[in-house]
Amino acid sequence: MDGILRNLANTLSHAVDYAKEKITAITGSTSVTIVELSEQIINQPETKLIRKNLLGISFSFYHLQKEDVTYYLEMKSSQILQLDVQAHNHTIVSYRSYRDLSSLPTAIRFPKNLLSE
């Protein structure tokens, strides 16, 4: 059982390191806020955009796949509703406006014990 947990921790550690590296490559910075990351996702030429008008409200859905990292962003007009970053089938960033509004301007921090310096 200890080996399984160690293997899971190693896999998650590699996924976090990989996502951090890719986010840094996209944003050009080692620290990024949700707003900055969403702007980078929107401005990538490879990003797929779907727009929908539901009950008179404009929604935008952005999908970006860069190597093994998947980025997903939902917006209502200019408001970020949801932002997810996944690497190697692990969620690295999960922002929801209904639960994380106060963290919008805060830089994303990766757990130090999962990072390789």
Side-chain angles (χ1 to χ4, degrees), residues 90-115:
H90 293 284
T91 299
I92 307 303
V93 176
S94 175
Y95 170 83
R96 304 292 184 272
S97 63
Y98 61 83
R99 107 181 146 210
D100 301 319
L101 189 56
S102 63
S103 69
L104 195 60
T106 305
I108 297 170
R109 299 198 197 305
F110 294 93
K112 289 187 186 297
N113 62 338
L114 296 176
L115 298 180

Side-chain angles (χ1 to χ4, degrees), residues 41-88:
I41 293 167
I42 291 167
N43 293 320
Q44 291 295 311
E46 304 92 354
T47 300
K48 294 180 175 84
L49 168 61
I50 298 171
R51 292 184 195 268
K52 293 186 179 182
N53 194 316
L54 306 170
L55 299 174
I57 301 170
S58 176
F59 291 90
S60 302
F61 305 90
Y62 298 88
H63 298 269
L64 175 62
Q65 180 74 40
K66 282 199 118 170
E67 298 176 28
D68 290 336
V69 181
T70 302
Y71 304 85
Y72 177 74
L73 173 65
E74 286 183 10
M75 298 184 73
K76 180 178 85 175
S77 299
S78 62
Q79 179 188 5
I80 300 167
L81 298 178
Q82 176 177 332
L83 191 149
D84 292 308
V85 179
Q86 291 188 325
H88 302 292

